[in-house]
Amino acid sequence: MKLLPAIERHARCAFRVLDAEARDDAVAEVLANAVCAYQRLHERNELRRAFATTLAEFAIKSYWSGRRCGTSQCSHDVFSSQAKQKAGYDVRVLGAAWARVNTKRLDEAVSQTANLN
């Protein structure tokens, strides 16, 4: 598809605010979405509507709204972007300090259970 380099340029410009790894993922997602949209246009014999800018803007808007190409989203899955966007929360790593505190509590609970037996 001759339109891919232009679509990639649009995507890289749109995602310039992201860090390098996230930008690469976002650009890849946009390219996949644009190819899927191109395929749908081809199936409907409407390739005359296939312009790089139009496909890129559609794919970029889809990315920012959380719609991904080739995956189904479950709003009940706490890790899905759709659920996070809908409920307005973020999933984060708690870090080493949390792990140390809870490991200590776990060790105490195990020792108390062992003392009961």
Side-chain angles (χ1 to χ4, degrees), residues 2-77:
K2 295 178 182 178
L3 303 173
L4 286 179
I7 293 170
E8 183 175 358
R9 280 193 304 275
H10 282 286
R12 290 210 176 274
C13 182
F15 299 125
R16 66 184 178 273
V17 297
L18 300 176
D19 63 74
E21 185 178 344
R23 182 176 42 249
D24 289 342
D25 288 343
V27 169
E29 182 66 36
V30 165
L31 290 173
N33 196 321
V35 169
C36 289
Y38 186 87
Q39 165 112 18
R40 287 190 301 270
L41 289 171
H42 176 68
E43 289 169 356
R44 296 184 338 207
N45 292 322
E46 295 185 6
L47 287 181
R48 65 187 179 279
R49 296 182 182 195
F51 296 104
T53 305
T54 308
L55 291 171
E57 288 177 357
F58 173 77
I60 291 166
K61 287 177 184 177
S62 294
Y63 179 84
W64 284 124
S65 69
R67 295 187 310 258
R68 300 293 182 258
C69 183
T71 62
S72 60
Q73 293 287 324
C74 177
S75 62
H76 301 293
D77 179 9

Side-chain angles (χ1 to χ4, degrees), residues 63-107:
Y63 179 84
W64 284 124
S65 69
R67 295 187 310 258
R68 300 293 182 258
C69 183
T71 62
S72 60
Q73 293 287 324
C74 177
S75 62
H76 301 293
D77 179 9
V78 296
F79 292 108
S80 75
S81 59
Q82 185 181 24
K84 291 180 210 174
Q85 184 178 13
K86 183 178 178 182
Y89 65 88
D90 192 22
V91 177
R92 297 182 185 157
V93 176
L94 292 174
W98 181 86
R100 282 192 303 272
V101 169
N102 284 311
T103 302
K104 184 178 177 184
R105 289 182 186 166
L106 179 63
D107 291 340

